[in-house]
Amino acid sequence: MLGAGSVIVDFCVFNLLLAAGAPPAVANLVALAIATLVAYLANLRWTFSHREVTNRSRALILFFVVNIASAAAVQVAVMAAAAVSLDVAWLNGVKFAMTVVATIVRFALYRTWVYRSDSA
C-alpha cells in the first residue's frame, strides 16, 4: 500500500510539472526524487518497521543505490518515450509500465538486501 502511495506522489508531481511546462526528463527526475524520499520514510516507519535494522546508515545507502538504479531505468524509458511523442497519455503509459517493473524489483531488493534484519 505504501508503494502505491509513493507511486501516486511520483505521478502527481510528474504531471503537475508537465502541466507547468517542464520538459519530461526534468519533470520525471524531480518526481522520482520526491517519491523516493517519501518511500524511504514510509518503508522505514511502516513496511519494514518490524525488522531490527540496527545499521540505518547502511540501509539508507543501500536504499538510495537501489532507487538510483530504478530511477535510471524509468528515466531512460521516459526519455525514449519523449523522443517518440510528447503526448501526456503516452508518457504516462510508458512511465507507468516501467514503474510497475521497477516497483516489483525494488520491493524484492528492499526485503532481501536493504531492510534485512541484521540478526538474520
Side-chain angles (χ1 to χ4, degrees), residues 14-31:
F14 178 67
N15 283 289
L16 285 171
L17 292 173
L18 286 178
V26 172
N28 191 53
L29 279 175
V30 171

Side-chain angles (χ1 to χ4, degrees), residues 13-94:
V13 172
F14 178 67
N15 283 289
L16 285 171
L17 292 173
L18 286 178
V26 172
N28 191 53
L29 279 175
V30 171
L32 286 169
I34 292 169
T36 297
L37 179 60
V38 168
Y40 175 74
L41 296 172
N43 278 303
L44 186 62
R45 178 148 173 100
W46 291 293
T47 306
F48 298 105
S49 64
H50 65 284
R51 295 190 178 202
E52 295 179 30
V53 178
T54 55
N55 191 342
R56 292 210 177 170
S57 296
R58 176 192 164 282
L60 178 64
I61 290 166
L62 292 176
F63 181 88
F64 279 100
V65 166
V66 167
N67 278 278
I68 288 168
S70 171
V74 175
Q75 183 70 3
V76 167
V78 168
M79 290 173 62
V84 173
S85 172
L86 293 176
D87 178 68
V88 173
W90 164 250
L91 293 172
N92 276 281
V94 170

